[in-house]
Amino acid sequence: MSLFATATPQAATNQSALGDLSKDVVLNSPPEDSISALSFSPQSDHLAVASWDKKVRIYEINSQGGSEGKALFDHEGPVLSVAWSKAVWHMTQDGSKVVGGGTDKAARLLDLGAGSTTAQQVAVHDQPIRCVRFMEAPGSGSPMLVTGSWDKHVKYWDLRQPTPVADVECQDKVYTMDVRDKLLVVGTAERYLNVYNLNNPTTPYKTIMSPLKWQTRVVSCFNDSNGYAVGSIEGRCAIQYVEEKDSTSNFSFKCHREPPQNNNSNVFSVNAISFHPIHGTFSTAGADGTFHFWDKDAKHRLKGYPSAGGTISSTDFNRSGTIFAYAVSYDWSKGYSNNTQNYPNKVMLHAIVGDECKPRPTTKKR
């Protein structure tokens, strides 16, 4: 894909310098209120955007970085999460369904493949739904929806049935959740991390306290589903492997912090972590308005970028890893009084060029 034909890779010798945002393209007709979540289709360059304006919008991104709104559907309250159905090779499931979850305590699904214009309610909780993800049912591989809520429950849904096929109570409110293959990771209040093997989805494979000392903000599974990254409100990220045999590879690092002045340092929440679909490297983005690309295996920052002018609330890579979308939007970390009319509210599209997201070469001793 030749997104941003004018974008040029920086020389390899300049990898330590700040990255360039000047060629980034703004998404046309963005939401009218804060942007809570972004999700690219696994089958095409369509981007779903969830917002506090009670809508989920779907945009088509063309080869030059241009964007056009293709569909939208409404919730009855702010939408907090959005996800696309998985592309499963042996089924008719083709990544054409979009689901949103929000403060109306419901998950709603729009079937773009069927030409639907009205979303169907497919899940319900007693409190706002914070996270929605698609998964494959154990055994059959049929598509299922998993939802996590502030009512402290994770529910599994067969989209053909009005009631959940399973309901798991967590220790506290669900703040974040991610799925990759058979791995489900749920982060709750009070820093609990519940790890599930989806062959046995109702019993945690293991439960740990976050290695980070402050509230969990985001979890994101590795591409190979061997582990996950955790981001906290205190400008830290942790890399965690599922199996004990790999625990020596666990580590955490500081990020999204301002240089200390007079023994004081401003630290910012890590709001989003996204893994590159090809290289397995990952991004962090935060309330300081910056994003960075990292190589977890080399424990190395690949590239950092200047402030985008406002907090970054959500990020995602497209299926080929050639586009990195990031939402510059108020993240509500300072309450309603700081959500002013002049605060930026936009989605930016950054073309991945050169070695920006490629892992560092490894040198193995003979």
Side-chain angles (χ1 to χ4, degrees), residues 10 14-21 291-292 301 303-307:
Q10 296 187 24
N14 197 31
Q15 287 298 303
S16 61
L18 279 179
D20 183 15
L21 300 181
F291 64 87
H292 307 263
R301 188 179 76 159
K303 182 72 79 173
Y305 294 81
S307 173

Side-chain angles (χ1 to χ4, degrees), residues 116-288:
S116 300
T117 57
T118 303
Q120 172 189 4
Q121 181 172 314
V122 291
V124 65
H125 279 260
D126 293 332
Q127 293 293 327
I129 294 177
R130 180 62 184 88
C131 309
V132 294
R133 292 291 186 271
F134 278 93
M135 57 171 279
E136 295 180 35
S140 68
S142 59
M144 292 186 68
L145 179 69
V146 56
T147 55
S149 168
W150 291 345
D151 65 8
K152 306 181 184 181
H153 286 255
V154 169
K155 296 182 180 183
Y156 299 91
W157 305 84
D158 182 328
L159 298 178
R160 299 165 295 185
Q161 301 177 16
T163 56
V165 296
D167 184 344
V168 180
E169 185 171 5
C170 300
Q171 301 88 344
D172 215 313
K173 294 179 180 179
V174 175
Y175 281 165
T176 179
M177 183 173 74
D178 198 25
V179 172
R180 178 75 66 166
D181 299 327
K182 297 298 182 183
L183 175 66
L184 167 66
V185 182
V186 179
T188 76
E190 301 301 326
R191 300 173 44 244
Y192 288 99
L193 294 172
N194 297 318
V195 179
Y196 295 85
N197 180 337
L198 289 175
N199 287 323
N200 184 19
T202 58
T203 303
Y205 180 72
K206 66 165 51 175
T207 295
I208 67 169
M209 301 301 294
S210 170
L212 307 179
K213 296 180 180 180
W214 295 85
Q215 177 182 303
T216 303
R217 187 76 171 95
V218 60
V219 297
S220 184
C221 297
F222 299 171
N223 290 354
D224 61 10
S225 68
N226 287 330
Y228 52 95
V230 187
S232 78
I233 62 170
E234 188 232 353
R236 285 181 185 267
C237 182
I239 298 298
Q240 288 289 122
Y241 286 83
V242 173
E243 302 296 344
E244 284 300 318
K245 65 181 178 62
D246 300 320
S247 63
T248 56
S249 297
N250 295 341
F251 68 97
S252 62
F253 60 94
K254 297 177 182 179
C255 52
H256 301 282
R257 296 169 173 232
E258 292 180 348
Q261 294 182 349
N262 300 322
N263 294 322
N264 291 316
S265 180
N266 287 330
V267 298
F268 298 88
S269 171
V270 179
N271 288 336
I273 298 174
S274 299
F275 279 87
H276 192 279
I278 308 300
H279 301 309
T281 53
F282 68 99
S283 64
T284 63
D288 61 340

Side-chain angles (χ1 to χ4, degrees), residues 19-79:
D20 183 15
L21 300 181
S22 65
K23 306 282 195 309
D24 292 6
V25 175
V26 65
L27 192 74
N28 291 326
S29 303
E32 298 170 1
D33 205 340
S34 296
I35 298 159
S36 53
L38 304 177
S39 181
F40 268 109
S41 165
Q43 288 292 87
S44 62
D45 286 328
H46 286 79
L47 178 67
V49 181
S51 171
W52 282 67
D53 68 4
K54 307 180 184 180
K55 291 179 172 60
V56 173
R57 293 170 171 81
I58 295 95
Y59 300 84
E60 182 177 15
I61 314 300
N62 66 32
S63 61
Q64 300 303 314
S67 53
E68 181 182 1
K70 287 296 183 180
L72 64 80
F73 61 92
D74 293 295
H75 277 251
E76 295 175 3
V79 191

Side-chain angles (χ1 to χ4, degrees), residues 324-343:
F324 178 70
Y326 59 99
V328 183
S329 181
Y330 187 55
D331 63 1
W332 296 92
S333 59
K334 296 184 178 180
Y336 73 91
S337 60
N338 280 268
N339 188 26
T340 63
Q341 290 184 343
N342 295 328
Y343 205 92

Side-chain angles (χ1 to χ4, degrees), residues 75-89:
H75 277 251
E76 295 175 3
V79 191
L80 303 179
S81 183
V82 66
W84 291 82
S85 55
K86 302 295 183 184
V88 184
W89 68 269

